[in-house]
Amino acid sequence: MSLRGITKRFGEFTAVDDIDLDIKEGEFFTLLGPSGCGKTTTLRMIAGFEEPNAGQILVAGSDVAGLPAHKRPTNTVFQSYALFPHLTVRDNVAYGLKRKRVGKDEISKRVDEELQRVGLAAEANRKPNQLSGGQQQRVALARAVVNLPKVLLLDEPLGALDLKLRKGLQLELKRIQQEIGITFVYVTHDQEEALTMSDRIAVMNRGIVEQVAEPVEVYERPATTFVAGFIGVSNLMPGVVRSLSGDKAEVELEAGVTVSAEANGLATGEQCHAVVRPEKLFVAKKGEVAPQQGADAQSVDGVVASSVYLGTATQLVVELRGGSRMTVLCPNTDESERQSLPGGGAEVSLSWTPEHIHLVRESDSERATADHEALGMDRSAAA
Ligand code: ATP
């Protein structure tokens, strides 16, 4: 499925701004981003509940423009399960097939198969109000999948469930998707959910797509400051590229050291941020390097601003020169090591292996906001 230059405006406001996406057949593809970034609007345009102002939506090679939702080769699963309350679980799942006048025996076979798949064979004759939230969402899933759509669209389907149930259903949804091989386009604002389930993730911000990549890639090699901050903790050290040599850049960090990292297309003189994930940072007394680190380790000095015990790990926040704050996760594997961790106010050295530092550009949308703020314009004034 492909989106080409898709744009959606509501009055003066552009909710989705010229998006291009290529989603592979059988892929679990996630639209991830904060509230209001345009992910639901994008999904609703694919489903046919909303018409784009510009652009094309191609499903299995054909343009679906102008087709009403029920004629598109897509089905949608919503956060609110939207089941028919007066129908049994079986009849809810059978509903779409009956409307398409599929034969009785085939309906029965396919409905049984889907109820089995989602683990609800025993509840087939119950009504929705006799089911838990998680079970109702399974019915909604079975009801969509039984129609064999080319693409299944899921809008925060686990959003109404409690955390433990959500985690269980995440793995189950992934298993079901792999089993049936249908393309899933999944909308969520939950980064952990996106990382757990997706083959690829499109990270959206203010109507644009900032990065499309596999989960490991968006976490380990975020493309922009926004992606780095939205997926995981925003561990950003501002700096400027001083020189380039091959594919390496020498970056002078505001924190007072110069480090070498993959240039990632940055040019000499360009402002950038260096990201190191919390679990890739080691902490030692000022002037020392943590014993786990090799001779090529890079380091920077700072002061511990806070230390919090989280059970499996201790989280330190270290303030660097220039004011940026780095979060460090120290696993609580050894009690004596945990007790010897520096407390608030201690002067420390943070170190990392060169392969774990990654340079990112400032997001265009963040820069635009910063420019507006610098000019004394707020968003509403700008609009
Ligand atoms: P959430 O996670 O909160 O649902 P989202 O990323 O899915 O957020 P959208 O629902 O796509 O966001 O909305 C994107 C923007 O478009 C928001 O600012 C929203 O207020 C606006 N918007 C959405 N639908 C309409 C509408 N029918 N009329 C006017 N503005 C709308």
Side-chain angles (χ1 to χ4, degrees), residues 354-371:
E355 72 195 71
H356 291 144
I357 189 165
H358 176 74
L359 301 179
V360 297
R361 281 197 166 75
E362 184 142 12
S363 303
D364 286 346
S365 53
E366 311 240 306
R367 210 164 20 218
T369 313
D371 289 349

Side-chain angles (χ1 to χ4, degrees), residues 298-330:
Q298 301 174 347
S299 66
V300 64
D301 291 339
V303 175
V304 175
S306 68
S307 166
V308 181
Y309 174 73
L310 299 178
T312 55
T314 300
Q315 177 184 285
L316 302 182
V317 174
V318 176
E319 184 162 330
L320 310 181
R321 205 171 92 193
S324 54
R325 287 180 162 224
M326 300 295 277
T327 300
V328 189
L329 267 189
C330 310

Side-chain angles (χ1 to χ4, degrees), residues 49-65:
F49 300 129
E50 207 81 73
E51 277 303 314
N53 294 94
Q56 271 190 318
I57 298 170
L58 305 166
V59 183
S62 0
D63 192 344
V64 294

Side-chain angles (χ1 to χ4, degrees), residues 20-22 29 200-203 209-214 217-218:
D20 291 306
L21 286 176
D22 283 302
F29 191 90
R200 283 188 310 151
I201 301 171
V203 186
V209 173
E210 297 240 349
Q211 184 171 16
V212 182
E214 291 177 13
E217 188 82 5
V218 286

Side-chain angles (χ1 to χ4, degrees), residues 173-236:
L173 255 180
K174 177 82 186 160
R175 171 189 63 79
I176 290 170
Q177 190 266 342
Q178 283 170 337
E179 210 176 289
I180 58 182
I182 291 177
T183 310
F184 274 30
V185 183
Y186 192 94
V187 160
T188 183
H189 64 270
D190 180 337
Q191 43 119 352
E192 211 177 303
E193 187 161 293
L195 293 174
T196 309
M197 303 172 82
S198 319
D199 293 317
R200 283 188 310 151
I201 301 171
V203 186
M204 291 185 69
N205 182 26
R206 297 189 184 158
I208 63 164
V209 173
E210 297 240 349
Q211 184 171 16
V212 182
E214 291 177 13
V216 174
E217 188 82 5
V218 286
Y219 184 75
E220 302 285 346
R221 287 175 289 281
T224 62
T225 47
F226 174 80
V227 177
F230 192 73
I231 314 248
V233 175
S234 175
N235 260 0
L236 299 169

Side-chain angles (χ1 to χ4, degrees), residues 10 13 15 34-41 156:
F10 295 108
F13 178 71
S35 181
C37 71
K39 47 197 193 303
T40 296
T41 303
E156 306 248 9

Side-chain angles (χ1 to χ4, degrees), residues 46-314:
I46 301 172
F49 300 129
E50 207 81 73
E51 277 303 314
N53 294 94
Q56 271 190 318
I57 298 170
L58 305 166
V59 183
S62 0
D63 192 344
V64 294
L67 277 185
H70 67 275
K71 294 228 167 111
R72 294 195 181 191
T74 53
N75 262 116
T76 309
V77 176
F78 301 96
Q79 180 176 342
S80 59
Y81 326 116
L83 300 176
F84 300 115
H86 58 289
L87 296 183
T88 61
V89 166
R90 175 184 298 284
D91 288 340
N92 261 285
V93 177
Y95 183 81
L97 297 178
K98 278 188 185 155
R99 271 190 56 163
K100 283 191 206 155
R101 303 191 188 286
V102 175
K104 227 174 168 184
D105 290 349
E106 176 159 2
I107 292 184
S108 179
K109 181 172 148 278
R110 278 166 66 178
V111 169
D112 282 346
E113 201 176 288
E114 290 317 322
L115 287 177
Q116 198 77 41
R117 203 196 303 282
V118 299
L120 283 180
E123 286 79 8
N125 295 319
R126 289 203 202 163
K127 296 273 175 64
N129 66 3
Q130 296 170 308
L131 299 175
S132 70
Q135 288 171 328
Q136 291 184 55
Q137 196 51 292
R138 283 164 208 249
V139 178
L141 182 67
R143 187 180 58 173
V145 166
V146 80
N147 296 311
L148 299 176
K150 289 214 163 53
V151 180
L152 188 65
L153 307 169
L154 302 105
D155 191 359
E156 306 248 9
L158 310 182
L161 306 174
D162 71 54
L163 186 64
K164 207 165 167 197
L165 193 55
R166 207 157 73 214
K167 295 230 171 255
L169 269 179
Q170 284 171 6
L171 300 175
E172 206 173 317
L173 255 180
K174 177 82 186 160
R175 171 189 63 79
I176 290 170
Q177 190 266 342
Q178 283 170 337
E179 210 176 289
I180 58 182
I182 291 177
T183 310
F184 274 30
V185 183
Y186 192 94
V187 160
T188 183
H189 64 270
D190 180 337
Q191 43 119 352
E192 211 177 303
E193 187 161 293
L195 293 174
T196 309
M197 303 172 82
S198 319
D199 293 317
R200 283 188 310 151
I201 301 171
V203 186
M204 291 185 69
N205 182 26
R206 297 189 184 158
I208 63 164
V209 173
E210 297 240 349
Q211 184 171 16
V212 182
E214 291 177 13
V216 174
E217 188 82 5
V218 286
Y219 184 75
E220 302 285 346
R221 287 175 289 281
T224 62
T225 47
F226 174 80
V227 177
F230 192 73
I231 314 248
V233 175
S234 175
N235 260 0
L236 299 169
M237 296 182 279
V240 60
V241 178
R242 286 296 174 216
S243 63
L244 291 172
S245 128
D247 58 358
K248 294 276 180 205
E250 292 291 311
V251 177
E252 187 182 338
L253 299 179
E254 262 179 28
V257 293
T258 297
V259 295
S260 171
E262 296 277 332
N264 264 344
L266 289 160
T268 304
E270 209 171 338
Q271 295 286 335
C272 63
H273 287 76
V275 184
V276 187
R277 294 304 192 181
E279 68 283 5
K280 306 280 172 37
L281 285 168
F282 290 91
V283 66
K285 281 198 190 115
K286 188 177 171 182
E288 294 178 9
V289 170
Q292 299 92 329
Q293 293 286 45
D296 59 347
Q298 301 174 347
S299 66
V300 64
D301 291 339
V303 175
V304 175
S306 68
S307 166
V308 181
Y309 174 73
L310 299 178
T312 55
T314 300

